[in-house]
């Protein structure tokens, strides 16, 4: 399994496509792994002329676990005490930058989904020289007044950690069903297949909690996003219960010249029926670079 040593961590990655094509880095969200980018979705992106680099964030997938940092006190963090926050989005963006440098990539198209979109925003703020373009999907700016979850969606992703494989699969499928696209629902067997694949590859609830601590303690990126000059597209579902569409609208409003693409009936996922439009928006924005 390929990995690089970055910031004293092993960051696992996989690639797809022709290395001679323009590189595109894909970053996923809380508790997510690089396998959360659907294989066929990635293949279609590669077929459009991109060399894809998919990474597992620190504390997820096959990248280094940081269990020595303990489990964060999430209620205390919400109450304003950041003493148990494990690391920041700047740290996670630095992991991504280190990965690109280790692979000899001078500039890449940066694509992030959910918390991965927040990391991607931080990446282009901190590492503009490595950025060709930005695509922020179902994400938000860090402004607490926008992009808020419904109570039901928040509960679905913060329930107690499963104790068995079957519990993890059931909980994962239920959470995906809750936050998914109401107009494009995935079948129950498909949801369970995805949840099983994630569990069998890596199950790290403590890592997910540490990633969540980074999100809860993150600063509002609105002002620094005003300075972003890379071509930017913001993609969001109008029926997203986990990150309300106001988060996407705020992101697009913060980045000069950004395009906003929203989809009725799309929730917090990448429904297959919308892949042509999603891929078209990503590719079209990259072409602006």
């Amino acid at each position: 399994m390929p990995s690089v040593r970055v910031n004293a961590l092993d960051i696992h990655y996989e690639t797809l496509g022709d290395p001679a094509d323009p590189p595109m880095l894909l970053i996923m969200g809380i508790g997510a792994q690089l396998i959360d980018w659907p294989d066929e979705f990635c293949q279609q992106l590669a077929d459009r002329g991109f060399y894809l680099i998919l990474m597992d964030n620190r504390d997820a997938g096959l990248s280094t676990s940081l269990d020595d940092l303990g489990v964060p006190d999430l209620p205390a963090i919400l109450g304003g005490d950041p003493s148990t926050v494990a690391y920041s989005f700047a740290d996670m963006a630095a992991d991504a930058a280190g990965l690109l440098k280790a692979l000899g990539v001078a500039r890449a198209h940066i694509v992030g989904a959910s918390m991965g979109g927040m990391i991607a925003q931080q990446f282009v703020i901190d590492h503009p020289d490595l950025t060709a373009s930005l695509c922020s999907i179902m994400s938000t700016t860090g402004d607490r007044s926008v992009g808020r979850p419904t109570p039901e969606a928040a509960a679905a992703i913060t329930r107690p950690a499963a104790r068995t494989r079957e519990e993890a699969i059931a909980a994962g499928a239920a959470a995906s069903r809750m936050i998914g696209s109401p107009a494009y629902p995935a079948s129950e067997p498909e949801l369970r297949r995805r949840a099983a694949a994630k569990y069998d590859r890596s199950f790290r609830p403590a890592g997910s909690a540490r990633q969540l601590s980074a999100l809860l303690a993150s600063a509002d990126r609105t002002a620094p996003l005003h300075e972003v000059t890379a071509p930017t597209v913001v993609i969001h579902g109008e029926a997203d219960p986990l990150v309300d569409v106001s988060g996407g609208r705020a992101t697009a409003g913060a980045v000069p010249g950004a395009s906003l693409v929203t989809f009725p009936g799309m929730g917090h996922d990448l429904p297959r029926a919308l892949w042509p439009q999603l891929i078209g928006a990503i590719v079209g924005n990259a072409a602006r670079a």
Side-chain angles (χ1 to χ4, degrees):
M1 294 295 183
S3 66
V4 297
R5 192 73 176 169
V6 176
N7 301 325
L9 306 173
D10 292 319
I11 299 298
H12 176 82
Y13 70 95
E14 296 181 6
T15 60
L16 178 67
D18 186 342
D21 286 337
M24 179 176 285
L25 177 67
L26 274 59
I27 309 172
M28 258 297 169
I30 290 177
Q33 306 176 46
L34 61 80
I35 61 171
D36 284 284
W37 294 103
D39 288 345
E40 293 177 51
F41 179 88
C42 293
Q43 186 61 60
Q44 290 181 31
L45 264 178
D47 290 343
R48 296 290 293 270
F50 296 94
Y51 179 56
L52 268 55
I53 304 166
L54 297 87
M55 65 179 289
D56 283 329
N57 290 314
R58 58 170 67 192
D59 255 341
L62 303 182
S63 291
T64 296
S65 291
L66 294 168
D67 291 335
D68 58 310
L69 298 179
V71 178
D73 186 338
L74 299 180
I77 295 169
L78 284 168
D81 176 6
S83 60
T84 61
V85 175
Y87 38 76
S88 69
F89 283 164
D91 295 323
M92 301 178 83
D95 294 343
L99 170 62
L100 293 182
K101 292 176 182 177
L103 297 179
V105 173
R107 292 171 74 238
H109 301 286
I110 310 300
V111 180
S114 193
M115 185 190 74
M118 304 173 201
I119 297 169
Q121 293 170 28
Q122 193 66 51
F123 183 102
V124 302
I125 292 167
D126 293 346
H127 308 282
D129 56 319
L130 293 173
T131 303
S133 71
L134 168 65
C135 175
S136 180
I137 306 172
M138 53 194 180
S139 194
T140 186
T141 61
D143 177 348
R144 300 298 188 260
S145 69
V146 298
R148 297 181 62 83
T150 65
E152 296 80 9
I157 67 162
T158 57
R159 65 181 63 190
R163 294 166 295 179
T164 66
R165 181 178 186 272
E166 184 53 39
E167 281 185 10
I169 292 171
S176 294
R177 190 183 318 110
M178 165 61 69
I179 67 176
S181 297
Y184 310 97
S187 69
E188 186 66 18
E190 176 63 13
L191 293 177
R192 290 184 63 85
R193 183 197 66 77
R194 295 177 195 167
K198 289 181 63 172
Y199 181 90
D200 292 342
R201 185 173 184 265
S202 177
F203 181 62
R204 299 190 192 173
S208 298
R210 287 187 289 270
Q211 292 182 346
L212 180 57
S213 78
L215 187 156
L216 295 176
S218 65
D220 184 352
R221 292 174 296 281
T222 302
L225 284 172
H226 290 329
E227 307 303 317
V228 170
T229 59
T232 298
V233 65
V234 178
I235 299 172
H236 218 109
E238 295 176 14
D240 190 333
L242 187 61
V243 181
D244 181 77
V245 67
S246 60
R249 291 175 178 141
T251 304
V255 180
S259 298
L260 174 65
V261 182
T262 66
F263 295 98
M266 175 179 162
H268 202 78
D269 59 359
L270 301 169
R272 179 184 292 269
L274 294 179
W275 285 1
Q277 296 97 311
L278 295 171
I279 290 170
I282 295 169
V283 171
N285 182 65
R288 295 168 56 201

